[in-house]
Amino acid sequence: MAVFKGAGVAIVTPFCEDGAVNYDKLTEILEEQIAGGTDSIIICGTTGEASTLSHEEHLDVIGHTVKVVNGRIPVIAGTGSNSTETAVYLSVEAEKLGADALLQVTPYYNKATQKGLIAHFSAVANAVKIPVILYNVPSRTGCNILPETAVYLAKNVPNIVGIKEACGNISQIAKLAQLADGCIDIYSGNDDQVVPILSLGGLGVISVLSNVAPKQTHDMVMSYLEGNVAESRKMQLEALPLIDALFCEVNPIPVKTAMNLMGKECGPLRGPLSPMEPQNVERLKAAMEGYGLQVV
């Protein structure tokens, strides 16, 4: 059974002005996402600035999210690391905290071989009992999970059940779908490729866009899954200018800026991320207003 179908939000981590995690604001954002129809919460991923959280903060944020969500929708905890030992530690602790599943990014900087990836992901998955979703984003990690590797893992490690595909290469994802023949659930990791990946048998998206447009992103996926392909395609195309603006600087700089522009008071970014360039803020504002989002 799939961890989820539909639109999961790769949610931001709100900070106070002094840089501390703003747990009150996180609670508020989580409630807004659930009310907006989001199908799953992905906490402490790239968009959540997990790489700048201490281990203590990382686990506190996961635990807080599990408590607030309280079983209403799945909570998927980002617990990946470029160190296998650290990824195992965070994963075991996240399972103890009640996470429903884990998101495991490819080890960054090390640039593991495919054999190394198999060993890494197997070690993490074998340390826990909850489902594991792989996360392939070579533009950020310098490491690509080849289709054959993902299929091998899905067939040989029982709780590796899905993959968030953000390689950007539709041909590679098509090959993955063909080789997998249903043995691994595929989620789009790019908001501009939701419908193309659904057409290859994908189950949904792990989305940045959902932070500012949860209902629209959910509806885009569910329209497709319910057979209304034309409506889903229309929603995908209408969202493209905003999606482009949300990635005109490195994620999560634009989406956190967008949420602050909407009055959601998510606070600053942690270094080395820096404030958005003024000309890009104006581009983002225009795209948000063109999509019907209110800028305050």
Side-chain angles (χ1 to χ4, degrees), residues 79 123 145 161 263:
T79 54
I145 306 174
V161 300

Side-chain angles (χ1 to χ4, degrees), residues 134 136 144-155 162-167 169-188 197 200-202:
L134 309 177
N136 191 32
N144 185 22
I145 306 174
L146 295 179
E148 294 84 355
T149 301
V151 170
Y152 176 89
L153 284 163
K155 288 184 174 179
I163 184 167
K164 175 186 176 183
E165 256 300 352
C167 69
N169 184 340
I170 289 293
S171 296
Q172 177 175 314
I173 298 168
K175 184 178 181 181
L176 169 62
Q178 181 260 318
L179 291 176
D181 194 26
C183 78
I184 191 166
D185 297 329
I186 302 172
Y187 299 95
S188 176
I197 289 174
L200 294 170

Side-chain angles (χ1 to χ4, degrees), residues 10-291:
I11 204 162
V12 302
T13 301
F15 297 124
C16 302
E17 288 306 314
D18 65 359
V21 175
N22 188 337
Y23 288 99
D24 290 341
K25 183 58 64 172
L26 177 57
T27 297
E28 184 180 313
I29 293 169
L30 289 167
E31 292 294 349
E32 287 178 355
Q33 285 291 323
I34 293 170
T38 289
D39 300 288
S40 181
I41 302 292
I42 294 81
I43 191 73
C44 293
T46 305
T47 311
E49 298 178 74
S51 58
T52 58
L53 298 174
S54 69
H55 288 174
E56 182 181 18
E57 288 175 322
H58 196 136
L59 295 172
D60 284 347
V61 169
I62 291 169
H64 181 84
T65 300
V66 169
K67 288 178 182 176
V68 172
V69 174
N70 194 27
R72 288 176 286 176
I73 57 177
V75 172
I76 301 169
T79 54
S81 173
N82 67 325
S83 160
T84 303
E85 182 181 5
T86 301
V88 168
Y89 164 71
L90 291 173
S91 298
V92 169
E93 294 303 312
E95 181 178 37
K96 291 177 186 175
L97 290 166
D100 297 291
L102 304 174
L103 184 69
Q104 282 293 310
V105 71
T106 45
Y108 37 87
Y109 187 75
N110 308 64
K111 298 182 73 172
T113 63
Q114 298 300 301
K115 181 179 178 181
L117 291 179
I118 289 170
H120 173 84
F121 289 129
S122 297
V124 174
N126 287 331
V128 297
K129 294 183 173 62
I130 55 177
V132 173
I133 298 174
L134 309 177
Y135 178 17
N136 191 32
V137 58
S139 66
R140 296 191 78 118
T141 64
C143 190
N144 185 22
I145 306 174
L146 295 179
E148 294 84 355
T149 301
V151 170
Y152 176 89
L153 284 163
K155 288 184 174 179
N156 288 277
V157 186
N159 58 329
I160 292 181
V161 300
I163 184 167
K164 175 186 176 183
E165 256 300 352
C167 69
N169 184 340
I170 289 293
S171 296
Q172 177 175 314
I173 298 168
K175 184 178 181 181
L176 169 62
Q178 181 260 318
L179 291 176
D181 194 26
C183 78
I184 191 166
D185 297 329
I186 302 172
Y187 299 95
S188 176
N190 290 333
D191 285 306
D192 61 351
Q193 294 182 339
V194 179
V195 171
I197 289 174
L198 288 171
S199 76
L200 294 170
L203 296 186
V205 61
I206 294 176
S207 170
V208 174
L209 176 65
S210 282
N211 281 281
V212 295
K215 184 179 187 304
Q216 295 94 322
T217 312
H218 165 85
D219 289 351
M220 183 199 312
V221 177
M222 297 314 295
S223 291
Y224 191 100
L225 295 178
E226 291 166 2
N228 194 343
V229 175
E231 179 63 23
S232 179
R233 180 174 63 242
K234 178 173 178 286
M235 295 178 76
Q236 173 81 88
L237 297 176
E238 287 174 346
L240 286 182
L242 176 56
I243 293 166
D244 288 345
L246 286 172
F247 290 92
C248 69
E249 292 189 22
V250 68
N251 180 51
I253 293 173
V255 71
K256 210 164 192 185
T257 304
M259 293 184 76
N260 287 332
L261 289 170
M262 294 172 74
K264 296 188 181 294
E265 300 176 355
C266 290
L269 298 143
R270 283 191 175 177
L273 298 181
S274 57
M276 200 170 182
E277 295 295 331
Q279 67 272 23
N280 288 333
V281 173
E282 293 307 311
R283 174 183 172 184
L284 179 61
K285 283 182 181 177
M288 291 169 67
E289 289 169 345
Y291 194 64

